Amino acid sequence: MSRQKVNNMEEFAKVSGISRPTLSKFFNDPQSVRTSTRSKIEFALEEYEYRPNIFAINHNRKSTKTIGIVVPYLADPFFAEIVRKIERHCIEAGFWPIVFSAHGEQQLENDALATLQSLRPAGALIAPLGKRSDLDCVKRFTEEVQTVVFDSNVDVGEAFVGSDNIHNVGLIVDYLCETGDAPCFFEMPPVNPNANKRREAYVTAMERLGHAPKVVQVKGTGWNFEKIGLEEGTRLISSGSLPSETILCSNDRLAVGLIAAAYQQGLRVGNGNNCALRIAGHDDHPWSQFTCPPLTTVSQNYEAITERSVGMLFELIDGGGSRQERPEVLFEGKLVLRASA
Amino acid sequence: MSRQKVNNMEEFAKVSGISRPTLSKFFNDPQSVRTSTRSKIEFALEEYEYRPNIFAINHNRKSTKTIGIVVPYLADPFFAEIVRKIERHCIEAGFWPIVFSAHGEQQLENDALATLQSLRPAGALIAPLGKRSDLDCVKRFTEEVQTVVFDSNVDVGEAFVGSDNIHNVGLIVDYLCETGDAPCFFEMPPVNPNANKRREAYVTAMERLGHAPKVVQVKGTGWNFEKIGLEEGTRLISSGSLPSETILCSNDRLAVGLIAAAYQQGLRVGNGNNCALRIAGHDDHPWSQFTCPPLTTVSQNYEAITERSVGMLFELIDGGGSRQERPEVLFEGKLVLRASA
DNA sequence: CAAAAAAGTTTACGTGTGTAAAATTCACGA
DNA sequence: TCGTGAATTTTACACACGTAAACTTTTTTG
């Protein structure tokens, strides 16, 4: 490394022979300067080590190149995966994504929003906690920052992108009813609107098929879905109080716990004659293909959801002001047939 | 909300009746101003909506309040959990943690380090990719930024904090040998020093107990450990080429895949007479308690590792210059006995 | 109650970049 | 070769806060 260090744009202007305002233009958008100038600058960048100071850059910009991402629980691989994809899309578009996790807590969500707001981001993509969110706080945030809401549809922000729960749950209820007993619905007290929508969709689908819906709601709070699925599943199984031998879980993580409960109680899960239970989930969570047996579920279209969310946000950022209507885009998932049901 | 908006510290100084330099002191450390002044300011904060601009704050500080966290793969719940804990420790200490994930790729790790460096952080906590890291790049980073390395011990930075693989693997090898057949060791090509250390520790422990070590290395790259465990495990089982019916996996995620493979091949996993395989892991991964059967493993002391990492970093930041020796702190895990072995 | 110590105010300058306006230079076609 | 519009340079100011020094006020101490 013979590259010399350069401390600021002024110095880099001297050594590169390009004026500072032009350099400023270049760093904001390399395409905006003449090809010959660009190659001069790039040549100098090889020679000298220099990167514009991020704080100074954003200090005096009207519109920052920062994009805030707020999720309820980053340790959930679903969100980890979503965030990963969103980050990529942002970086490709020349933005600087910055991730916050609420860790399931209202206070931390509020803190994240406040910190984010003081970063004056160009826009934000948020998946609110849902029921636990401080809606006033979230609303105030969205009034200052262009926001696309995803995954959990609370009525704030300029747009929503998520999954078509009605369609998805319909898919799997149809499948389960066609291939065996009508399912009961296994859920915990809903942490966000998705859980509610899924229960409602289950009830609708069952009634459409002429079955009596049977909802089993177990106790449990927080984001330890597997733990709740295991503990409450164990209780239900050992007391024989499951209303059906086919169980549709509100999400895959709950199903992971329930499968573990069944295994530990010596019940075989799956489609065969020698199986005592059929278990299905929703989300096609990254873990779901590794359960024993592998979990039958409905996928969410991760790629479409992230791409559209980011896309809509960029439209908002480019378009400037907010529009009249608040579009809600829902993507349909697909049935993922594995061995558990 | 009747709170009026205030745009900068100057304006807030006017409305609060406190001079700007004092306000500056207050926002850096509320304890540094007199109680009466503090309450005046806090009262005004109730009345007026104001938060200092983060970019302006960090723009002209010698030492930023930013702490960079770089992990190889954030979608891995192990790192998600670690990051969660680190973030908390930082926030409690009044720092601003900012997380980057390399997503398993060298280029992204380099990008993250470069971006982080331009943020001029007070310090950094990094878990390098390991074998895939661009060591020169990482080294250059650590020469500019006070860095504590954790999890994966590559020889850079001011200190290392991690797990005592030798002790941990010894624990579980001892346990497995006491309670049944001596284990073989199931691994994929190592992605970081931990994997190597664990294999070596396995060999040492086996020789100490008078057994011939049997290492089974399967193909596979990247961070899809479960997938590799499942696919290669299926191959090994169906071809009958496992050298022992007791299998110690290099980490829990590999074990998750292997358990799934065994299940799909109709082999029962566990300790009983009717079981064909015993499978054990390492890490006590968040998923491990939900496998079928639950996974016997060695825990890592997450809390100790994160607390000590952050603690050492704060010492470095306070202490200023770098010291002579490069301390390596290793924490011992505990045997976690479940049903799989 | 006076002196000392602590805290706050005033004043002034530094930070590294964005950005606007006017002046100059360049590239390209006629 | 010249004219034209586009690109670049020059110049100058803005941004919001950190920080230092000299001075003033408040609090503490003996």
Side-chain angles (χ1 to χ4, degrees):
Chain A
M1 288 314 291
S2 64
R3 297 198 310 177
Q4 247 180 290
K5 191 114 195 229
V6 155
N7 290 314
N8 56 39
M9 208 180 272
E10 201 78 55
E11 289 183 27
F12 187 66
K14 251 182 217 129
V15 299
S16 66
I18 306 288
S19 74
R20 199 174 64 72
T22 303
L23 287 176
S24 179
K25 267 187 80 181
F26 168 84
F27 284 112
N28 280 312
D29 176 13
Q31 302 300 322
S32 69
V33 302
R34 207 184 290 149
T35 320
S36 58
T37 327
R38 186 160 60 241
S39 51
K40 268 191 227 166
I41 297 174
E42 277 159 356
F43 183 78
L45 274 176
E46 302 278 312
E47 205 72 1
Y48 300 88
E49 194 174 334
Y50 169 69
R51 282 177 64 109
N53 178 310
I54 292 193
F55 293 113
I57 289 175
N58 290 296
H59 177 45
N60 192 26
R61 236 209 268 265
K62 328 154 184 203
S63 122
T64 298
K65 281 295 205 179
T66 309
I67 300 266
I69 304 166
V70 183
V71 294
Y73 206 81
L74 197 49
D76 182 331
F78 170 77
F79 287 110
E81 188 64 24
I82 289 265
V83 163
R84 212 183 65 145
K85 288 186 190 294
I86 290 179
E87 280 185 315
R88 275 196 201 263
H89 289 303
C90 290
I91 290 170
E92 274 163 22
F95 282 85
W96 181 41
I98 173 164
V99 181
F100 297 85
S101 167
H103 300 317
E105 290 175 27
Q106 182 179 87
Q107 185 56 52
L108 289 176
E109 182 170 87
N110 287 354
D111 288 351
L113 292 176
T115 303
L116 180 51
Q117 194 169 340
S118 68
L119 284 170
R120 322 222 162 154
L125 289 153
I126 71 179
L129 280 172
K131 207 181 165 190
R132 283 212 186 171
S133 284
D134 178 346
L135 279 184
D136 284 342
C137 183
V138 178
K139 194 164 188 64
R140 244 176 296 141
F141 174 85
T142 60
E143 279 159 8
E144 299 293 324
V145 181
Q146 303 262 34
T147 304
V148 169
V149 177
F150 69 97
D151 184 63
S152 172
N153 193 1
V154 306
D155 187 27
V156 296
E158 305 292 330
F160 171 76
V161 179
S163 273
D164 187 342
N165 287 304
I166 314 246
H167 173 266
N168 292 357
V169 173
L171 273 184
I172 192 135
V173 170
D174 283 355
Y175 164 76
L176 292 172
C177 289
E178 273 168 29
T179 52
D181 286 347
C184 62
F185 188 76
F186 184 64
E187 68 164 8
M188 52 182 277
V191 293
N192 66 29
N194 281 330
N196 277 325
K197 283 246 177 61
R198 286 178 197 171
R199 184 189 345 92
E200 289 163 15
Y202 161 78
V203 171
T204 310
M206 288 287 279
E207 286 170 348
R208 169 167 53 76
L209 295 169
H211 297 294
K214 298 164 208 152
V215 174
V216 183
Q217 189 177 77
V218 297
K219 281 172 293 180
T221 55
W223 287 75
N224 284 317
F225 299 154
E226 294 86 6
K227 188 153 179 274
I228 293 165
L230 173 57
E231 287 174 359
E232 296 297 302
T234 302
R235 200 175 51 74
L236 289 171
I237 292 171
S238 60
S239 68
S241 43
L242 277 171
S244 166
E245 280 152 8
T246 298
I247 302 139
L248 174 58
C249 299
S250 178
N251 63 59
D252 281 1
R253 293 183 58 195
L254 222 42
V256 165
L258 186 58
I259 286 178
Y263 184 92
Q264 289 171 33
Q265 300 278 314
L267 296 188
R268 198 169 175 85
V269 173
N271 277 314
N273 288 329
N274 52 347
C275 294
L277 293 178
R278 295 195 303 160
I279 296 178
H282 187 296
D283 285 346
D284 195 20
H285 205 277
W287 314 359
S288 302
Q289 51 188 310
F290 304 108
T291 55
C292 300
L295 185 64
T296 288
T297 183
V298 195
S299 66
Q300 290 206 42
N301 194 339
Y302 290 39
E303 190 56 40
I305 291 174
T306 54
E307 199 191 339
R308 197 80 190 85
S309 304
V310 175
M312 295 194 80
L313 184 58
F314 288 162
E315 283 169 25
L316 280 172
I317 292 171
D318 292 339
S322 59
R323 36 180 132 181
Q324 285 298 326
E325 77 291 20
R326 175 179 180 277
E328 300 195 352
V329 183
L330 300 182
F331 287 100
E332 295 184 351
K334 285 183 185 157
L335 213 49
V336 179
L337 297 182
R338 299 205 182 97
S340 75
Chain B
M1 286 317 289
S2 65
R3 299 199 306 178
Q4 248 181 291
K5 192 114 194 230
V6 155
N7 292 313
N8 56 40
M9 210 180 271
E10 200 79 53
E11 289 183 27
F12 187 65
K14 252 181 217 133
V15 299
S16 65
I18 306 290
S19 73
R20 197 173 66 71
T22 303
L23 287 176
S24 180
K25 267 187 79 181
F26 169 84
F27 284 113
N28 279 313
D29 176 13
Q31 302 300 321
S32 68
V33 303
R34 209 183 289 151
T35 322
S36 58
T37 339
R38 188 159 61 238
S39 51
K40 269 191 225 166
I41 297 174
E42 278 161 356
F43 183 78
L45 276 174
E46 302 279 312
E47 204 72 0
Y48 302 89
E49 194 175 334
Y50 170 69
R51 282 178 64 111
N53 178 313
I54 291 193
F55 294 113
I57 289 176
N58 289 298
H59 178 44
N60 190 27
R61 237 209 267 266
K62 331 151 183 199
S63 121
T64 298
K65 281 295 207 179
T66 310
I67 300 266
I69 304 167
V70 183
V71 294
Y73 207 82
L74 197 48
D76 182 332
F78 169 75
F79 287 110
E81 188 63 23
I82 290 266
V83 164
R84 212 183 66 147
K85 288 185 190 293
I86 290 179
E87 279 185 315
R88 274 198 200 262
H89 290 302
C90 289
I91 290 170
E92 274 163 22
F95 283 85
W96 181 40
I98 173 163
V99 180
F100 297 85
S101 168
H103 300 317
E105 291 175 28
Q106 182 179 88
Q107 185 56 52
L108 289 176
E109 182 171 86
N110 288 354
D111 288 351
L113 291 176
T115 304
L116 180 51
Q117 195 169 340
S118 69
L119 283 171
R120 321 219 163 156
L125 289 154
I126 71 179
L129 280 171
K131 207 179 164 192
R132 282 211 186 171
S133 284
D134 179 346
L135 278 184
D136 284 341
C137 183
V138 178
K139 194 164 188 62
R140 244 177 296 140
F141 175 84
T142 61
E143 279 159 7
E144 298 293 323
V145 180
Q146 302 262 33
T147 304
V148 170
V149 177
F150 69 97
D151 184 63
S152 172
N153 192 2
V154 306
D155 187 27
V156 295
E158 306 292 331
F160 172 75
V161 180
S163 273
D164 186 343
N165 287 305
I166 314 244
H167 173 266
N168 291 357
V169 173
L171 272 184
I172 193 136
V173 170
D174 283 354
Y175 164 77
L176 293 172
C177 289
E178 272 169 31
T179 53
D181 287 347
C184 62
F185 188 77
F186 184 65
E187 66 164 10
M188 52 183 275
V191 293
N192 65 29
N194 281 330
N196 277 325
K197 283 246 176 62
R198 286 179 197 171
R199 184 188 347 90
E200 289 164 15
Y202 160 78
V203 171
T204 309
M206 288 287 280
E207 286 170 349
R208 169 167 53 76
L209 294 170
H211 298 293
K214 298 163 206 153
V215 174
V216 183
Q217 189 176 78
V218 298
K219 281 173 293 183
T221 54
W223 287 74
N224 284 318
F225 299 154
E226 294 87 6
K227 188 152 179 274
I228 294 165
L230 173 58
E231 287 174 358
E232 295 298 302
T234 302
R235 200 175 50 74
L236 289 171
I237 291 170
S238 61
S239 67
S241 43
L242 277 171
S244 167
E245 279 153 9
T246 298
I247 303 139
L248 173 58
C249 299
S250 178
N251 63 58
D252 280 1
R253 293 182 58 193
L254 221 42
V256 165
L258 185 58
I259 286 179
Y263 184 94
Q264 289 172 33
Q265 301 279 312
L267 296 188
R268 197 168 175 85
V269 173
N271 277 313
N273 288 330
N274 53 347
C275 295
L277 292 178
R278 295 196 301 160
I279 296 178
H282 187 297
D283 286 347
D284 196 19
H285 205 278
W287 314 0
S288 302
Q289 52 188 310
F290 304 107
T291 55
C292 300
L295 185 65
T296 288
T297 184
V298 194
S299 66
Q300 290 205 42
N301 194 339
Y302 289 39
E303 190 56 39
I305 291 174
T306 54
E307 199 192 337
R308 196 80 192 88
S309 304
V310 175
M312 295 194 80
L313 183 57
F314 289 163
E315 284 169 26
L316 281 171
I317 292 171
D318 292 339
S322 59
R323 37 181 132 181
Q324 285 297 326
E325 77 293 19
R326 174 179 179 278
E328 301 195 351
V329 183
L330 301 181
F331 287 99
E332 297 184 351
K334 285 183 185 157
L335 212 50
V336 179
L337 297 182
R338 299 203 182 97
S340 76

